[in-house]
Amino acid sequence: MKYHKPQIPILVVATLFLFGGCYTVTPVNTHNATSKGGMFYALPLTRICVDVTYRYYDLTDAVYSDYAAEMLALDNFDVEKPYRIQDVAVTYQVSADPDHYYLIDPRGIAMQIDNRHLLRSVGLTPQETAAEIGPAQSLSRVDTMDSKLELHNATADQLLPRYNLYDRTDTFYVRGDQPGHPTMTSTRRAPRSLRQRAQAAAEEIAELEDRRADIVVSDRYTLEGKAQMLQQIEEQEAQLMAHFVGKPIVETVHFYLTPAEVLRNGDTVQRSVLFYFSRSEGVCDSDDVGAMPVVCTLRPDQSLQKVRRFCRRTNAAKSGDSKTFKYRLPSQAVMTLECELFDFQTSLPVAQFGPIIDLPRRHFKALFDPASGALIYYQN
């Protein structure tokens, strides 16, 4: 008897390890589900953000704007249509799907859920989870579109008009005047017409460009001297250009869309108008003059179509709800933005385009990607 007594607890521990804990996973939308306490987690839901950066020009101080295309050979500059789409960037983030929440009674198993109610790991300690995938990243950048409508390589501060070569003002202060409030000002304007002054400014810009080229190829100056002279020429040219093209202003507008879940056919194409854009108004309404629709198309990848059908048949054959962990297998989707001004295409993972899969009901270790919700590590 003394020999067999130590074997009883060893046998019990081995049995618990083999058959696993008594954890259960119950969908919250199940009619017969009763809450006896536990933890909630949700399947990931992908939300797409499209950042549209456009540039327009403030022509308030651009007195020579009518002559920009003619005298400076700026073919793509139109006073009546100053708006240009400069860049398009696509990002995505995952959040909790309100239609797929689960209640867990985590007896006998360790798990980690982040502040978004998304499952990060099962069977691992927080230290092991952080060592494998690091802190949670909720935003992932996908792709950007390079600018195709660059007009002038200068920043907004450099294009501020600082002086006018042909409009001079003389200011007279007397005793007792406050700074900025002179007693008398007199303006002397050049007798030349607006077109003649624009032509003189354009000729000076051409002279500055020739001077820049001479400084670059010349060996009479040191590197520091060249840099200083080139900077002065750039400032003078920017001030003159401001009288033709005005002050450039760059703005970014964010558009969000949440793709619908693919329930049956994996080849479902989702198409919608993301926004309307006008060359004269920028982002506008659909009934504005010159409004052009920017159409967004999402096309799920066909590589997971058989997996989706298999999971659907397997879930339909089950007699009841599976009491185990569920996760989504994100599917790649091709996203296209189409407009008269540009075409943009990229690919990104979309969680709701993929199937819902059950993990085996046993003790295991699993890691999930915090950016997409995909299963990235599994061990029995």
Side-chain angles (χ1 to χ4, degrees), residues 40-45 92-97 101 113-120 135-139 368-373:
F40 287 97
Y41 87 95
L43 294 184
L45 179 74
Y92 69 91
Q93 64 181 61
V94 292
S95 59
D97 191 340
Y101 263 89
I113 300 174
D114 61 14
N115 57 357
R116 298 170 295 170
H117 299 173
L118 298 180
L119 194 61
R120 292 195 64 191
Q137 302 292 333
S138 60
L139 187 66
F368 299 90
D369 187 3
S372 63

Side-chain angles (χ1 to χ4, degrees), residues 68-136:
E70 175 187 352
M71 298 182 179
L72 299 182
L74 300 178
D75 297 334
N76 60 344
F77 182 78
D78 190 350
V79 178
E80 302 297 332
K81 299 178 181 179
Y83 287 82
R84 303 287 191 276
I85 292 181
Q86 178 175 319
D87 191 24
V88 176
V90 177
T91 57
Y92 69 91
Q93 64 181 61
V94 292
S95 59
D97 191 340
D99 297 330
H100 293 279
Y101 263 89
Y102 298 91
L103 175 65
I104 307 172
D105 183 9
R107 289 178 292 177
I109 191 169
M111 56 182 297
Q112 184 179 2
I113 300 174
D114 61 14
N115 57 357
R116 298 170 295 170
H117 299 173
L118 298 180
L119 194 61
R120 292 195 64 191
S121 66
V122 178
L124 295 175
T125 63
Q127 293 77 12
E128 293 175 330
T129 304
E132 290 291 338
I133 59 178

Side-chain angles (χ1 to χ4, degrees), residues 54 83-84 275-285 288 291:
Y54 63 91
Y83 287 82
R84 303 287 191 276
F275 63 97
Y276 290 88
F277 188 83
S278 172
R279 291 284 300 275
S280 58
E281 299 293 336
V283 178
C284 59
D285 297 329
D288 289 346

Side-chain angles (χ1 to χ4, degrees), residues 78-284:
D78 190 350
V79 178
E80 302 297 332
K81 299 178 181 179
Y83 287 82
R84 303 287 191 276
I85 292 181
Q86 178 175 319
D87 191 24
V88 176
V90 177
T91 57
Y92 69 91
Q93 64 181 61
V94 292
S95 59
D97 191 340
D99 297 330
H100 293 279
Y101 263 89
Y102 298 91
L103 175 65
I104 307 172
D105 183 9
R107 289 178 292 177
I109 191 169
M111 56 182 297
Q112 184 179 2
I113 300 174
D114 61 14
N115 57 357
R116 298 170 295 170
H117 299 173
L118 298 180
L119 194 61
R120 292 195 64 191
S121 66
V122 178
L124 295 175
T125 63
Q127 293 77 12
E128 293 175 330
T129 304
E132 290 291 338
I133 59 178
Q137 302 292 333
S138 60
L139 187 66
S140 298
R141 192 174 187 86
V142 179
D143 202 356
T144 60
M145 180 183 69
D146 295 332
S147 174
K148 300 179 181 179
L149 301 173
E150 288 294 334
L151 179 61
H152 182 63
N153 187 17
T155 62
D157 295 337
Q158 292 174 334
L159 289 183
L160 287 174
R162 299 178 183 177
Y163 64 88
N164 192 319
L165 297 178
Y166 305 102
D167 290 344
R168 302 187 299 276
T169 301
D170 294 335
T171 305
F172 300 94
Y173 284 87
V174 298
R175 185 183 300 275
D177 287 346
Q178 298 294 328
H181 299 279
T183 299
M184 182 178 61
T185 59
S186 65
T187 303
R188 297 178 299 167
R189 294 187 178 273
R192 290 182 286 183
S193 64
L194 183 64
R195 182 181 183 86
Q196 291 174 338
R197 284 179 281 168
Q199 184 65 37
E203 292 175 357
E204 186 166 351
I205 291 176
E207 293 176 359
L208 290 175
E209 293 177 353
D210 295 339
R211 185 180 176 189
R212 179 192 291 113
D214 294 338
I215 294 175
V216 171
V217 299
S218 177
D219 55 356
R220 295 174 297 175
Y221 311 104
T222 61
L223 294 179
E224 293 79 5
K226 284 186 177 182
Q228 184 177 3
M229 288 186 291
L230 291 177
Q231 183 179 1
Q232 293 176 355
I233 291 176
E234 184 177 357
E235 293 178 357
Q236 295 175 10
E237 184 179 5
Q239 294 171 19
L240 292 171
M241 285 291 298
H243 294 296
F244 286 95
V245 299
K247 175 185 176 181
I249 300 177
V250 179
E251 294 182 357
T252 301
V253 184
H254 310 281
F255 299 95
Y256 298 92
L257 68 153
T258 302
E261 183 177 0
V262 176
L263 299 177
R264 294 184 178 181
N265 298 324
D267 55 353
T268 303
V269 178
Q270 301 183 17
R271 188 187 307 270
S272 61
V273 177
L274 190 62
F275 63 97
Y276 290 88
F277 188 83
S278 172
R279 291 284 300 275
S280 58
E281 299 293 336
V283 178
C284 59

